[in-house]
Amino acid sequence: IVLGCTLLSVIFLIFITSRQLELSALNPDLLLRVPFMLGISVLYGHLTNQVKRDKRRIEQLKQTEELKRQVVSALAHDVKAPLSVILGHAELLAGFIDGRADPKQQFLSLKCIRDNIDRIVKLVTGFLNVSELMKPTGEAKTEVEINGIIRDVIRQQTVTLRKKDLNVRMELAADLKPCHGDQDQLERVLWNLIDNAIKFTPQGGTITLTSRMIGTNISLSIRDTGVGIPKQELPNLFLEFKRLEGSVNTEGTGLGL
């Protein structure tokens, strides 16, 4: 519309100039309509640009709100695991009040509580830094010892493993090389995977953790003797709030993976 009205006005002016017509010889209504159409086209163009800017601004606001929702949901999910560890070791320490205390176990429990408090603080701080979350992922930040993270997660989950009488087999390659990545995010991944294995493995079951080198790549495997994931459910594995059929009796939100 803007381009059409502008072209029409230009053509009209060229027509007057080429024919050397006097303005007094032209229809007064026509003289008014041409600048009016030109003005309307300019106004329309301005309003169109304004509407486009408003739409972009609304889309950005929607994206920001969606990111905030995802941050809050993910934070609430990830904080549950360290809180559970803290509660487990606090209950263990409470059992030592009768005087039959094992100093080594007390020290380990206090260390686990302190480590998980630090982890919660780190999680909250990281999630609050929304600008970091919006940056592209995949940038190598530091060398990460994967075997060390696995051992630490299992050590932190000792109380829960004992309560469910779960057996843990760690087949970790001694020659596993450090990988380059984000230490905090890799810890989140392994915490969620191992926590899921503990959660969905029945009493007396077994969890097997394996790491090995395949060429220059690191391969990790976490297997358990739980119900497993049906083939038809695999396409829904990474959907938010999606849980497997039959898992309603197991605590969870469907956000971990």
Side-chain angles (χ1 to χ4, degrees):
I1 294 176
V2 175
L3 183 59
C5 291
T6 304
L7 286 175
L8 183 60
S9 302
V10 171
I11 291 171
F12 177 73
L13 292 174
I14 293 174
F15 175 77
I16 294 176
T17 306
S18 62
R19 293 300 182 92
Q20 297 181 346
L21 298 175
E22 293 185 6
L23 295 179
S24 59
L26 298 175
N27 189 326
D29 289 341
L30 187 60
L31 293 176
L32 289 174
R33 286 174 185 172
V34 171
F36 177 76
M37 291 176 62
L38 182 60
I40 289 296
S41 66
V42 172
L43 178 60
Y44 180 84
H46 171 73
L47 293 176
T48 301
N49 289 332
Q50 184 65 40
V51 169
K52 289 180 179 178
R53 285 195 297 268
D54 289 342
K55 282 185 177 179
R56 285 195 297 267
R57 188 158 50 243
I58 290 171
E59 287 299 320
Q60 290 172 352
L61 288 173
K62 286 182 178 178
Q63 291 175 2
T64 302
E65 288 301 317
E66 176 62 17
L67 179 61
K68 288 179 181 178
R69 185 194 65 78
Q70 292 176 351
V71 166
V72 172
S73 298
L75 177 58
H77 175 276
D78 285 10
V79 163
K80 288 171 65 178
L83 283 176
S84 177
V85 172
I86 291 171
L87 179 61
H89 283 281
E91 291 175 348
L92 189 63
L93 288 173
F96 293 149
I97 294 178
D98 59 6
R100 292 174 298 176
D102 179 351
K104 183 179 179 180
Q105 183 59 58
Q106 280 186 317
F107 174 77
L108 290 175
S109 291
L110 289 171
K111 186 176 187 308
C112 282
I113 290 174
R114 175 58 187 270
D115 288 347
N116 280 276
I117 290 173
D118 290 342
R119 184 164 175 260
I120 290 173
V121 172
K122 189 187 298 184
L123 280 171
V124 172
T125 303
F127 274 110
L128 288 178
N129 192 355
V130 179
S131 61
E132 284 294 322
L133 294 175
M134 296 179 72
K135 289 181 179 179
T137 57
E139 298 178 1
K141 294 186 177 182
T142 184
E143 286 193 345
V144 182
E145 295 282 352
I146 296 294
N147 283 349
I149 295 177
I150 293 174
R151 291 191 184 97
D152 186 59
V153 174
I154 294 300
R155 178 179 62 83
Q156 304 277 2
Q157 295 277 23
T158 301
V159 175
T160 306
L161 291 167
R162 286 178 183 171
K163 282 183 177 179
K164 294 190 69 174
D165 191 27
L166 298 179
N167 302 304
V168 177
R169 295 173 55 193
M170 288 195 286
E171 302 170 355
L172 308 180
D175 63 342
L176 199 74
K177 297 179 181 179
C179 69
H180 292 275
D182 188 318
Q183 172 88 20
D184 296 338
Q185 295 301 324
L186 286 169
E187 284 182 359
R188 285 186 66 208
V189 170
L190 291 171
W191 263 94
N192 279 318
L193 289 173
I194 295 174
D195 189 59
N196 269 10
I198 294 172
K199 189 186 303 178
F200 289 98
T201 302
Q203 195 88 8
T206 301
I207 298 172
T208 304
L209 308 170
T210 306
S211 68
R212 59 183 176 135
M213 295 297 301
I214 300 180
T216 58
N217 298 319
I218 293 176
S219 171
L220 298 178
S221 171
I222 300 174
R223 295 172 307 201
D224 58 62
T225 55
V227 295
I229 303 174
K231 186 176 181 180
Q232 65 270 19
E233 293 279 2
L234 291 177
N236 302 322
L237 199 58
F238 299 108
L239 296 181
E240 280 186 311
F241 305 110
K242 177 67 177 178
R243 306 195 64 206
L244 299 180
E245 293 183 9
S247 63
V248 291
N249 296 323
T250 304
E251 182 184 0
T253 58
L255 282 172
L257 293 181

